[in-house]
Amino acid sequence: MAFISSTRAIPEALQVPRHVAIIMDGNGRWARRHFLPRVAGHKRGVETVRTMVKACMARGVEYLTLFAFSSENWRRPEEEVSFLMGLFVSSLESELNKLNSNGVRLKVIGDLSRFPPRLVEVIRQGEELTAKNSRLTLTIAANYGGRWDIVQALNHLSSQNPGKAGAYSEDDLAPHLAMAYAPEPDLFVRTGGEQRISNFLLWQLAYTEFYFTDQLWPEFDDAALDAAIDSYRCRERRFGRTSEQLAAILAPAATDDA
Ligand code: IPE
Ligand code: IPE
Ligand code: MG
């Protein structure tokens, strides 16, 4: 099923964000504050993931997308990278059955070709096991980069249309993006105080509402999510239109009298 593109049509602005995308940042700083090694922060971060999956389901969010490892995170010290790979495997192994019984569909986006074979296998098993679930779609972005996504989509599209050059539209490209199975995010959250995208969902965030918090990912909780959603609710999502146009759509009678 194709979802509405925010640049091609006007999506519905819902009270509860249908899709929340989060950059889970600040694990290392959380660990340092507690005089622990960085990897202890990553371990704690997995607990926040568990909390957020439950919290999103309870609030009626249908898609939760989490940035777990960027295409640039390979630049980190080797021990940290290999710890993270091990943590992905062990977390997936221990959580899969619970996710499945709670109706969660797991998806992993990113270039899996650089991952250890065991990790790729667990990901594939998890995606297969949960493929028919529909309560919440949990997407983990791993070795993901927004630029990588656009380039892989373009390569995919052009390989299907040999000889056709220079005449592609947004609608041609969109189905080849890694998250074509999901609507565009309504709410983007970044913990840890930085105000940047760090090569996350470049294409898909075109009209997403942004929310930045200084809270570190291991300390992000239900109340913090509610604060983000409250902030989202106060936004006027104009998608290029004027406030007056929106007011006329929302309360046509009131504007007729004016
Ligand atoms: C985010 O926390 C987790 C990953 C990028 C894997 P960081 O590890 O970036 O934590 P800080 O930014 O150093 O505090
Ligand atoms: C972004 O965090 C990537 C993830 C959370 C997975 P980083 O900590 O890697 O981002 P930068 O380097 O500070 O931009
Ligand atoms: Mg960071």
Side-chain angles (χ1 to χ4, degrees):
M1 174 194 168
F3 290 100
I4 288 176
S5 152
S6 59
T7 50
R8 307 277 298 128
I10 298 168
E12 208 184 338
L14 301 158
Q15 281 294 300
V16 174
R18 188 178 184 196
H19 183 174
V20 177
I22 307 182
I23 297 189
M24 312 184 282
D25 199 15
N27 293 349
R29 277 162 289 166
W30 180 89
R32 199 169 55 222
R33 272 186 209 170
H34 292 80
F35 307 101
L36 295 165
R38 289 181 56 81
V39 294
H42 297 317
K43 252 176 124 172
R44 259 310 268 270
V46 175
E47 286 177 37
T48 308
V49 171
R50 216 176 282 136
T51 308
M52 279 310 116
V53 169
K54 274 190 231 145
C56 283
M57 281 196 285
R59 285 155 184 75
V61 171
E62 292 172 51
Y63 297 84
L64 172 64
T65 300
L66 302 172
F67 203 7
F69 192 88
S70 75
S71 44
E72 290 70 53
N73 284 144
W74 298 103
R75 298 167 181 167
R76 294 192 175 197
E78 210 198 304
E79 317 86 74
E80 183 170 340
V81 170
S82 69
F83 180 89
L84 283 167
M85 296 300 144
L87 189 63
F88 289 152
V89 173
S90 61
S91 308
L92 283 174
E93 280 176 336
S94 69
E95 298 300 318
L96 255 182
N97 286 330
K98 228 179 303 160
L99 290 172
N100 189 36
S101 57
N102 283 315
V104 176
R105 172 171 66 149
L106 176 75
K107 290 276 199 182
V108 177
I109 54 166
D111 180 4
L112 300 189
S113 65
R114 249 184 107 173
F115 282 156
R118 174 72 194 133
L119 178 54
V120 178
E121 195 186 309
V122 181
I123 289 171
R124 290 295 166 234
Q125 280 171 358
E127 287 186 328
E128 230 168 82
L129 177 72
T130 62
K132 295 205 164 64
N133 294 339
S134 57
R135 194 159 163 220
L136 175 81
T137 298
L138 170 65
T139 300
I140 306 291
N143 193 19
Y144 179 86
R147 290 186 180 180
W148 165 83
D149 195 0
I150 293 166
V151 170
Q152 71 77 28
L154 186 60
N155 286 333
H156 202 243
L157 172 63
S158 49
S159 73
Q160 285 187 350
N161 300 277
K164 181 180 169 185
Y168 293 121
S169 68
E170 287 185 25
D171 291 342
D172 292 328
L173 190 74
H176 299 276
L177 292 163
M179 274 229 297
Y181 57 83
E184 292 172 26
D186 299 292
L187 171 63
F188 161 95
V189 174
R190 182 171 187 147
T191 61
E194 313 298 349
Q195 302 198 357
R196 52 179 173 252
I197 302 186
S198 300
N199 198 16
F200 194 26
L201 302 162
L202 299 178
W203 178 285
Q204 297 85 345
L205 295 175
Y207 270 101
T208 302
E209 297 297 330
F210 280 42
Y211 180 85
F212 296 97
T213 170
D214 288 338
Q215 274 165 303
L216 305 172
W217 180 246
E219 62 198 18
F220 196 77
D221 57 10
D222 283 37
L225 178 67
D226 285 333
I229 294 177
D230 285 349
S231 166
Y232 163 85
R233 282 204 180 112
C234 298
R235 315 282 177 91
E236 187 177 61
R237 302 191 73 189
R238 291 190 289 276
F239 298 104
R241 296 162 297 172
T242 66
S243 279
E244 290 72 16
Q245 285 176 297
L246 275 184
I249 293 163
L250 294 173
T255 43
D256 282 353
D257 294 344

